[in-house]
């Protein structure tokens, strides 16, 4: 099942998405997508709706250096245990929403990642029960200001800017996440073709998804809708004003976002 969130004729709504391409249809969910969803009976062509981030998490728990090749390209060793940090909920945006480059950041990178969406409140989850607390999986982009990361010595500002956590296009609930292809491509404003930046598989994760859920839930209560970004493979690189970033994860879908400078972004 694909669960999403859209701007519908009735306002913002959770939906179940059926079909693909121009034939995709969104079925409105009455309340929330957790448990067994109830439906209102309303449905619309997905192409007529604005697709939003599939969830608004209370927190996004991110995992650093969870692919060996990425740890090496960042000039360090892979951590023996998961290295986690948080992104604020205000960093979340959906498909098609711009990634806004802060005026005080000089080097901003994309990081394509598989995102785990939690389905029920949980704490101290055993590894062998980890998948029981998962609602599903979506695509994430852990956008990072590298110069601020180096300058600050910790990552809250560098990874916490508004728009620095694109998620989407939807949550896939029926998926084995253990060996999925992940690709990140970037296209410049004056370019017709996409440049492949990242290409890997989730089977190369150093710390598995069950271990990450157990590790994170040992430190903090995970709530329905919370997101765990599982780490990015090698190939991270800069994004600049006018670029588009597209991240595909096998079995889930493709998340695409334009990149704009702060001075060119619309004001809230």
């Amino acid at each position: 099942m694909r669960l999403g969130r859209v701007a519908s004729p009735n306002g913002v709504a959770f939906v179940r998405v059926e079909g693909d391409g121009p034939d995709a249809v969104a079925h409105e969910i009455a309340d929330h997508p957790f448990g067994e969803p109830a439906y209102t009976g309303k449905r619309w062509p997905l192409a007529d709706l604005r697709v939003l981030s599939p969830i608004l998490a209370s927190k996004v728990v991110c995992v650093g250096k969870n692919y060996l090749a990425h740890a090496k390209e960042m000039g360090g060793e892979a951590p023996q245990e998961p290295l986690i940090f948080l992104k604020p909920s205000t960093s979340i945006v959906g498909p098609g929403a711009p990634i806004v480059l802060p005026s005080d950041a000089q080097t901003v990178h994309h990081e394509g990642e598989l995102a785990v969406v939690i389905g029920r409140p949980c704490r101290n989850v055993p590894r062998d029960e980890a998948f029981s607390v998962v609602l599903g999986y979506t695509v994430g982009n852990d956008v990072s200001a590298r110069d601020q990361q180096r300058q600050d010595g910790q990552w809250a500002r560098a990874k916490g800017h508004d728009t620095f956590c694109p998620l989407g296009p939807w949550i896939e609930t029926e998926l084995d996440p253990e060996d999925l292809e992940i690709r990140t491509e970037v296209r410049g404003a004056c370019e017709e073709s996409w440049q492949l930046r990242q290409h890997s598989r989730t089977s190369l994760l150093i710390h598995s998804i069950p271990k990450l859920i157990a590790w994170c839930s040992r430190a903090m209560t995970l709530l329905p809708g919370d997101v765990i970004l599982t780490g990015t493979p090698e190939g991270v690189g800069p994004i600049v004003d006018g670029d588009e970033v597209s991240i595909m994860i096998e079995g889930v879908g493709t998340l695409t976002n334009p990149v704009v400078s702060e001075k060119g972004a619309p004001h809230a």
Side-chain angles (χ1 to χ4, degrees), residues 21 36 65 69 132 148 164 171 177 182 185 195 228 249 265:
E36 189 64 35
K65 299 181 180 180
S132 71
Q148 294 181 353
F164 269 29
I171 299 164
I182 178 169
E185 299 180 339
Q195 176 190 14
I228 299 175
I249 295 182

Side-chain angles (χ1 to χ4, degrees), residues 60-112:
V60 180
V61 188
C62 308
V63 183
K65 299 181 180 180
N66 202 25
Y67 287 81
L68 181 59
H70 173 60
K72 290 181 176 178
E73 80 175 347
M74 297 302 289
E77 298 295 324
Q80 293 296 310
E81 299 290 356
L83 174 65
I84 63 173
F85 57 95
L86 298 176
K87 280 180 177 281
S89 60
T90 48
S91 66
I92 296 173
V93 293
I99 298 168
V100 180
L101 304 175
S103 58
D104 56 352
Q106 304 305 311
T107 306
V108 176
H109 283 190
H110 61 78
E111 294 190 9

Side-chain angles (χ1 to χ4, degrees), residues 37-152:
Y39 298 95
T40 66
K42 297 183 174 66
R43 49 185 286 177
W44 310 278
L46 186 65
D48 293 346
L49 306 174
R50 182 161 63 94
V51 179
L52 308 173
S53 64
I55 206 74
L56 286 177
S58 75
K59 54 185 171 292
V60 180
V61 188
C62 308
V63 183
K65 299 181 180 180
N66 202 25
Y67 287 81
L68 181 59
H70 173 60
K72 290 181 176 178
E73 80 175 347
M74 297 302 289
E77 298 295 324
Q80 293 296 310
E81 299 290 356
L83 174 65
I84 63 173
F85 57 95
L86 298 176
K87 280 180 177 281
S89 60
T90 48
S91 66
I92 296 173
V93 293
I99 298 168
V100 180
L101 304 175
S103 58
D104 56 352
Q106 304 305 311
T107 306
V108 176
H109 283 190
H110 61 78
E111 294 190 9
E113 310 195 10
L114 176 68
V116 180
V117 183
I118 299 299
R120 62 177 176 84
C122 57
R123 180 88 162 91
N124 291 324
V125 181
R127 285 195 206 183
D128 59 0
E129 298 177 15
F131 287 124
S132 71
V133 306
V134 174
L135 174 65
Y137 306 89
T138 190
V139 185
N141 189 352
D142 176 19
V143 182
S144 307
R146 293 289 184 225
D147 52 326
Q148 294 181 353
Q149 193 174 355
R150 290 189 294 268
Q151 176 183 338
D152 294 355

